[in-house]
Amino acid sequence: MCVSSGAFTCVSRPLKSDFPLRFCPQGGSENVSFVMHAVHATLVHRGVLDEIVWARLPPDHSHDAIDRFFSVIERWLRAEGCPEICTPWQLLEFLRLKLSESKYRRDLTEVHFLLANFAFHIWFDGYVNSDKVQRIGVPLVWRYVWDKIRSRVLIQYKLSLADKATFEQDEWGPWEYAMVEHLNQASGVVSTEKEHTTWNALQVKRSTVDGVNMMRAYPDVDSFPGVEDWLPPENWSISKVFNDMQHWKFSDVANAPKFRDQWEALRAWHTSYSTSDSITIG
């Protein structure tokens, strides 16, 4: 299982290679994009994974693992005796300490800053059938699996994670109608071989062989795609934020100058690297 946010990545150990990698992102519109599907399909096409199951949470949902995780952090910070957290670096050290004491240490936890997002859309421009595939936000669950027989990525979907295969409908869409022969309902028996009894034709839905025709081709992803633009400094009031921190009344008076120096260093970093393409990746 993998749980990820902008600040944490928690991976349960061990990750078994004989199971598909499963993602459960939130239900926002940022996760309804052709780029997201293209990234998943490319991971399977390049042989990084044999199968990915991507289950998007519905809008107006309640997070499961992620919400619980942040609720625990909030209780830590509000607990009596919790030290004052004055800088981002103190917050990191506090979280590392608390997580190291957890009884759930079987989970490998990384605490990090998300500085920039790769501009994956540059890779996939012109490679996705965005003009042919519609309503990608309706199915909440998508599957990308390597088809060993046809040597290509099979992309499928279903409306809900709870949907299972039945005699009338296969688990994964898109579907096509097929006519099958079956014993009459009175017998309660389904067979694929005719016997000397009454037979009826039944219309069922079976998974198509081709799946969703999402990708026209696969690009060269060995090249660096660049990173997405940051918000301009004026859009998040950079001057006000750091000026306020210089006048903040820290309860730890003895270390207040040190804290202000650290916030000033962070201001200097943002001033030196005002655009996302000014930082070095790697």
Side-chain angles (χ1 to χ4, degrees), residues 79-130:
E80 184 177 353
C82 175
E84 181 183 28
I85 306 297
C86 300
T87 68
W89 295 272
Q90 282 188 324
L91 177 61
L92 283 175
E93 288 305 316
F94 175 78
L95 292 175
R96 289 186 180 120
L97 174 63
K98 297 296 289 187
L99 292 169
S100 68
E101 297 173 346
S102 171
K103 64 180 180 180
Y104 301 107
R105 286 193 304 275
R106 62 182 180 82
D107 288 353
L108 177 63
T109 304
E110 298 175 356
V111 184
H112 53 83
F113 288 108
L114 178 62
L115 293 178
N117 294 316
F118 289 113
F120 290 125
H121 64 278
I122 294 176
W123 272 343
F124 300 109
D125 185 25
Y127 287 90
V128 181
N129 286 320
S130 56

Side-chain angles (χ1 to χ4, degrees), residues 84 250-257 259-260:
E84 181 183 28
F250 298 101
S251 59
D252 186 354
V253 177
N255 286 307
F259 299 151
R260 293 192 178 95

